[in-house]
Amino acid sequence: MKEKNTTRDVYDAVADPTRRKILDLLANVAEMPLHELTVHFQIGRTAVSKHLTILKDAGLVISRKVGRETRYRLNAAPLQEIQDWVTYYTKFWNEKIMLLHQLLQEEEEMPKVSLDFQFNSSIERVWLALTDSKILAKWVMDNDFKPIVGHKFQFRTKPNKVWDGIVDSEVLVVDQPNKLSYTWITAGESTTVTWTLKEVDKTTHLHLEQTGFEKEGHAYHGAKQGWVLMGGKLEQVLTEL
């Protein structure tokens, strides 16, 4: 955007609605005397004249004498300064919107685990199974989970040759009993697990989404198979509550 060295303040001149209306009136005629401009406002001739002076100082209005009468006409050239300013920020935001669209498109293309479960248990009981550390240990892994946003915890199980058996997590969302979300960081993958609950006709519908996988590789398929197995364990745990 070009910087201009100028003493006039075009932005201040057009900031007032009365002055903008004067410009609109002058834009539709070749020129107009003060008394004809004044009839379009609920203010006196002196007040309109003061607004015209500000517009003249900004170079937006030019006047000329015709006998004893002063006529005014629009000079739109200084408005280019505002147009340049708006164009600069329009380009700025267009680039940001394009970047956001690209990011959203990339996110949609990334693989995610999406599973649905149904349980003949109340939504409160399913929520308890998702948030009570001791119950979680029965169908997921040992843990030190607490349903508090910002709480950092771990899921832990026996390590093997390719995995240390540790999942580092942080609670992101706790909306009892409708939504629970936490990070799931393990084996080089940083993902997010989100549980969404809804109860319909005494049946609790539980939806799982795990997002953030870089590719549809071993970690993705392992997570999908793992949650299917854990969903079966959860059903058994719910019958025992």
Side-chain angles (χ1 to χ4, degrees):
M1 182 176 65
K2 294 181 180 180
E3 296 285 344
K4 287 195 174 184
N5 293 320
T6 177
T7 57
R8 68 174 183 256
D9 191 343
V10 178
Y11 301 95
D12 180 64
V14 301
D16 186 272
T18 298
R19 293 195 286 274
R20 291 198 298 272
K21 184 173 181 180
I22 290 174
L23 294 177
D24 288 341
L25 291 168
L26 294 177
N28 294 313
V29 295
E31 57 184 15
M32 188 180 291
L34 178 59
H35 71 273
E36 289 185 13
L37 282 167
T38 302
V39 299
H40 294 279
F41 302 94
Q42 294 181 345
I43 56 177
R45 183 177 297 192
T46 300
V48 174
S49 181
K50 289 181 179 179
H51 284 297
L52 283 165
T53 298
I54 294 173
L55 292 171
K56 287 177 62 179
D57 290 343
L60 291 166
V61 167
I62 297 173
S63 65
R64 71 183 184 96
K65 283 282 189 178
V66 180
R68 299 177 60 183
E69 185 178 68
T70 301
R71 292 180 171 270
Y72 300 90
R73 63 185 177 87
L74 174 68
N75 178 36
L79 292 174
Q80 185 63 46
E81 184 176 343
I82 296 177
Q83 178 64 36
D84 291 344
W85 184 82
V86 172
T87 300
Y88 172 79
Y89 283 100
T90 298
K91 180 181 178 182
F92 172 83
W93 283 113
N94 284 341
E95 290 175 351
K96 296 298 182 184
I97 291 172
M98 288 178 62
L99 178 60
L100 176 60
H101 177 73
Q102 181 180 344
L103 290 173
L104 291 174
Q105 189 173 22
E106 290 176 356
E107 184 175 326
E108 289 178 356
E109 293 173 353
M110 293 174 69
K112 65 180 179 181
V113 175
S114 181
L115 298 171
D116 289 289
F117 306 93
Q118 294 183 6
F119 304 108
N120 294 321
S121 299
S122 68
I123 192 171
E124 290 80 9
R125 187 171 294 182
V126 176
W127 178 263
L128 181 65
L130 291 174
T131 57
D132 183 277
S133 179
K134 292 182 180 179
I135 300 176
L136 267 175
K138 294 180 179 181
W139 65 278
V140 183
M141 286 179 265
D142 290 335
N143 63 90
D144 54 343
F145 175 85
K146 292 180 181 179
I148 302 172
V149 173
H151 173 64
K152 295 181 179 180
F153 65 101
Q154 287 184 333
F155 286 108
R156 298 177 298 273
T157 190
K158 292 181 179 180
N160 55 42
K161 294 180 180 180
V162 296
W163 182 42
D164 62 6
I166 298 175
V167 178
D168 291 305
S169 299
E170 180 178 347
V171 180
L172 302 176
V173 178
V174 178
D175 181 15
Q176 183 176 352
N178 303 302
K179 188 175 182 179
L180 176 69
S181 182
Y182 43 79
T183 58
W184 185 281
I185 304 171
T186 187
E189 290 277 356
S190 179
T191 61
T192 299
V193 172
T194 301
W195 300 97
T196 306
L197 299 82
K198 181 172 65 175
E199 187 172 14
V200 180
D201 297 330
K202 297 182 180 181
T203 298
T204 299
H205 299 261
L206 179 62
H207 177 70
L208 163 71
E209 277 200 3
Q210 186 172 0
T211 59
F213 293 99
E214 294 183 0
K215 59 183 179 180
E216 197 169 316
H218 175 75
Y220 166 80
H221 291 290
K224 188 172 185 179
Q225 294 172 7
W227 286 120
V228 170
L229 292 173
M230 285 186 278
K233 291 181 181 180
L234 173 58
E235 185 171 19
Q236 180 62 36
V237 167
L238 288 171
T239 62
E240 297 172 355
L241 290 180

